[in-house]
Amino acid sequence: SRSARNAPILVITDSDVPQARISTSGRKACTSLLVKACYSGDFTKGMQNESFMFLEVQPVTGRTHQIRVHLASLGRPLVSDPLYGSQPMLGEHKWCPRLFLHCSRVTLK
């Protein structure tokens, strides 16, 4: 079943790369989430007992880095996310050298 992450996001533009975080002083943000599959095990050398989820995600609002911030705040940062990921997993960049976020469809209203 679909769930939602409702948490306000504050964008900080003090540096060359804007960064965002969950904050009560931020703007309303909502992301719809659906778990499509779960994976766990030893995917590459040194990554024993890691778990991953394949998600269908829909941003209801359109905030800067919204998907990345909401997933990281749930303890599930995107694979290879250098900005919002926690500690880089050993070997993560060998099998996924770029941010693992893909768009399947874009709709404009």
Side-chain angles (χ1 to χ4, degrees), residues 5 7-11 20 27-32 58-70 107:
R5 175 66 169 139
I9 294 177
L10 177 67
V11 178
R27 295 177 67 193
K28 178 182 172 182
C30 181
T31 304
S32 173
Q58 292 179 315
V60 178
T61 53
R63 306 289 174 237
T64 301
H65 299 177
Q66 178 176 322
I67 293 171
R68 296 167 71 184
V69 171
H70 276 172
T107 303

Side-chain angles (χ1 to χ4, degrees), residues 7 15 32 37 40 43 68 77-78 106:
S15 64
S32 173
S40 63
F43 297 100
R68 296 167 71 184
L78 293 170
V106 175

Side-chain angles (χ1 to χ4, degrees), residues 1-95:
S1 70
R2 221 170 245 292
S3 63
R5 175 66 169 139
N6 287 295
I9 294 177
L10 177 67
V11 178
I12 302 154
T13 56
D14 293 349
S15 64
D16 293 338
V17 178
Q19 193 166 4
R21 62 183 170 92
I22 302 295
S23 171
T24 55
S25 58
R27 295 177 67 193
K28 178 182 172 182
C30 181
T31 304
S32 173
L33 308 163
L34 177 64
V35 177
K36 302 290 267 184
C38 294
Y39 306 95
S40 63
D42 186 6
F43 297 100
T44 62
K45 184 178 179 181
M47 291 182 61
Q48 295 176 354
N49 300 319
E50 291 294 337
S51 64
F52 299 90
M53 284 192 271
F54 180 63
L55 301 171
E56 179 180 301
V57 180
Q58 292 179 315
V60 178
T61 53
R63 306 289 174 237
T64 301
H65 299 177
Q66 178 176 322
I67 293 171
R68 296 167 71 184
V69 171
H70 276 172
L71 289 177
S73 74
L74 294 169
R76 288 295 186 174
L78 293 170
V79 170
S80 293
D81 189 340
L83 198 55
Y84 300 104
S86 51
Q87 294 293 332
M89 288 184 285
L90 185 62
E92 182 177 90
H93 290 284
K94 289 180 181 177
W95 64 270

